[in-house]
Amino acid sequence: MQSDALPASRGSSLTALLGVFYACGFLAGFNENLVNMALVAIMDAFSVDAVTAQWLVTGYMIAVTVVVTCMAYLYRRFSMRALFLTASALSMAGSLGGLVAPNFVVLMIARLVQAAGTGVFIPLMMNVIVDKVPHQNMGTYLAVGSCMITLGPATAPIVTGFLVSDWGWRSVFVVPLAAAALLLLVGFVVVRDRRPGQRKALDGVSVLLTALGVTLLSWGLSELTLQPVAGMAALAAAVGVLALFAWRQQRLASPLVSMAPFGQRSFWPAALLVVITMMTYFSLSVLAPLYFEEAAGLTASLAGLLMVAPVLANATASLVSGRVLDRKGEWPLLPAGLLVAVVGLLAALGGALQQSVVMVTVGLFFGYLGTGMVLSPAQTAGLRRLPDELDSHGVSLMSMAVQLAACLGPAAYVGVMSSAAARAAAGGAAAGAASATGFAWAMGAALVVAVAGLVLAAIYARAMRSLSAAGR
């Protein structure tokens, strides 16, 4: 069991350790949206369309999801130091590969290698927090971690927008390459944990089922509006594969990740809220640059500047919401955050229909603000009531929820945007107007999902308030 306070003798070492892993979480998030502002330039350089190019984002998310699924096993099998050093080296190798990639296939492979490294960082950071921080303070510490996770992908379009405009798309890989090298040097000194690992075999079948299921799910969503029959078939196959994965975990003596946390009524609704929130967040992060550049005709650097205010709103909301959760609980924080996000999506949809960049930017601000209010509290609400023996599995499942949303959101909404834009263009609309129409349809789809999340958040937050009142 965890103590009620952190021992003073290890306070400084824990602070340094968390500092390193908070930075790792930021880098992992930054890498997720690393190529968003470069997609248009990459499409031109390698002669690929938007649906193909977005696999640089979705493929990265799939690879990260597979690694995250393995993290409950990896965290028990290897020391924290071994995981950190390996992840840093893979992140550097992937970034270097992206910097020198001669064609789209090599660039895709480099992104997958990069994902294999940075996919370790987020659950490793969360495991350190859950293991070493008292539950009554977990909201605040996880809020900082969530801030780093969301600040990374939110900052990426701003930084890379200027890099793409001034130095070309390859320059975006210089930042994570340098950051990973610096983290490796600092972490080599700070990350000293060498706890003995449990020598148990990795279930390769479960790993393959995860990769196949998430890939089919992402591809099916991206094709659903373009090729409905193929998309539906892929989605049906994905559901079957993922169900088989869950069934297998329940029957293995040493599962890749235990499904037991889903048996806790405080956990599974929180995980679903994380999926809904992150689908909204990542979709805005991917779609906004495409809208600003293709529909509004802005430069990548100017599009990046327009993301500054939403990014700051998200970071601030994330930090504040963690403290609010520790002091006040889930009600009314969670439904209030989803309500703000819904208002933001409505504004973005209306701005796209009216071809108003200002209104779209305002919508992004409130969309980012609302998601920042929900992500960390939802994660904390699900994790802090788990028994200690399920902590690492709960962390893996929550991290899987984040990455699954990162796969589903862009794949689904870019598919909606592309098909709607194509229909508008076929009807005689100009290129910019067609892109704006596609963006509006995508915002409409995201709005439906967010409204469902709002209803779930209201029900769940009230239930958790009742649990807290009963002392559970």
Side-chain angles (χ1 to χ4, degrees):
M1 297 294 290
Q2 293 169 314
S3 61
D4 291 337
L6 295 174
S9 60
R10 63 172 184 170
S12 60
S13 62
L14 179 60
T15 300
L17 188 65
L18 287 176
V20 169
F21 285 117
Y22 282 150
C24 289
F26 178 87
L27 178 59
F30 187 92
N31 283 344
E32 286 177 347
N33 280 353
L34 179 68
V35 299
N36 288 7
M37 300 303 293
L39 285 179
V40 174
I42 291 171
M43 288 160 58
D44 292 339
F46 295 130
S47 300
V48 297
D49 59 20
V51 174
T52 301
Q54 67 88 25
W55 278 96
L56 291 173
V57 178
T58 302
Y60 179 98
M61 302 302 184
I62 291 171
V64 170
T65 303
V66 173
V67 174
V68 164
T69 305
C70 299
M71 271 303 293
Y73 164 82
L74 294 174
Y75 190 70
R76 297 191 306 271
R77 175 65 180 84
F78 301 102
S79 71
M80 185 191 305
R81 180 177 174 83
L83 289 172
F84 170 79
L85 295 178
T86 301
S88 299
L90 287 171
S91 179
M92 289 177 60
S95 299
L96 181 61
L99 181 63
V100 301
N103 54 53
F104 186 82
V105 173
V106 174
L107 180 60
M108 187 74 228
I109 293 172
R111 283 286 283 169
L112 296 179
V113 173
Q114 190 181 52
T118 56
V120 173
F121 287 150
I122 292 175
L124 192 55
M125 174 193 72
M126 292 177 67
N127 270 302
V128 171
I129 294 172
V130 171
D131 283 349
K132 299 182 181 298
V133 173
H135 283 191
Q136 66 268 24
N137 297 327
M138 192 183 295
T140 299
Y141 282 86
L142 281 177
V144 177
S146 295
C147 180
M148 294 297 102
I149 294 170
T150 56
L151 193 60
T155 305
I158 301 171
V159 175
T160 57
F162 283 98
L163 290 173
V164 172
S165 294
D166 295 337
W167 302 98
W169 67 266
R170 293 183 186 276
S171 64
V172 302
F173 289 96
V174 174
V175 176
L177 179 60
L182 180 60
L183 277 173
L184 182 60
L185 291 174
V186 176
F188 189 83
V189 176
V190 172
V191 182
R192 290 290 184 182
D193 168 70
R194 297 181 183 274
R195 55 184 170 74
Q198 302 175 11
R199 294 188 175 278
K200 295 181 179 180
L202 176 69
D203 184 49
V205 174
S206 294
V207 176
L208 291 175
L209 287 173
T210 303
L212 179 60
V214 176
T215 301
L216 285 170
L217 193 61
S218 299
W219 186 81
L221 285 171
S222 68
E223 293 295 317
L224 192 59
T225 55
L226 301 173
Q227 302 181 65
V229 175
M232 287 297 294
L235 290 177
V239 171
V241 171
L242 293 175
L244 180 59
F245 169 83
W247 176 85
R248 184 175 178 82
Q249 303 317 297
Q250 292 177 320
R251 281 153 181 78
L252 288 173
S254 299
L256 189 64
V257 56
S258 173
M259 298 290 110
F262 284 124
Q264 307 284 322
R265 66 171 180 163
S266 63
F267 185 85
W268 70 264
L272 185 54
L273 281 175
V274 168
V275 171
I276 291 171
T277 302
M278 294 307 290
M279 279 185 69
T280 303
Y281 174 82
F282 277 113
S283 300
L284 290 174
S285 298
V286 173
L287 295 176
L290 292 175
Y291 170 81
F292 285 138
E293 293 185 61
E294 294 185 345
L298 304 179
T299 63
S301 57
L302 183 54
L305 280 176
L306 290 177
M307 301 296 291
V308 171
V311 166
L312 294 177
N314 182 272
T316 302
S318 182
L319 291 173
V320 173
S321 66
R323 291 184 176 275
V324 171
L325 182 77
D326 284 340
R327 295 175 182 175
K328 302 293 184 180
E330 293 83 1
W331 179 269
L333 177 62
L334 295 181
L338 264 301
L339 180 60
V340 171
V342 165
V343 171
L345 291 170
L346 276 171
L349 190 158
L353 292 176
Q354 297 178 30
Q355 298 188 34
S356 169
V357 175
V358 172
M359 193 170 178
V360 169
T361 305
V362 171
L364 291 175
F365 177 89
F366 286 104
Y368 271 64
L369 179 67
T371 55
M373 292 171 63
V374 176
L375 176 60
S376 173
Q379 289 178 315
T380 305
L383 291 172
R384 67 179 176 176
R385 292 182 174 90
L386 287 178
D388 290 347
E389 64 271 15
L390 293 180
D391 279 346
S392 64
H393 295 285
V395 166
S396 288
L397 291 172
M398 275 297 178
S399 299
M400 286 171 65
V402 171
Q403 299 308 324
L404 187 63
C407 295
L408 300 183
Y413 298 141
V414 169
V416 171
M417 182 177 180
S418 298
S419 61
R423 288 196 301 271
S435 294
T437 299
F439 181 78
W441 274 90
M443 290 297 97
L447 179 62
V448 172
V449 174
V451 169
L454 173 59
V455 174
L456 174 62
I459 296 171
Y460 175 71
R462 290 179 68 89
M464 291 303 99
R465 183 176 64 173
S466 298
L467 277 180
S468 297
R472 289 184 285 174

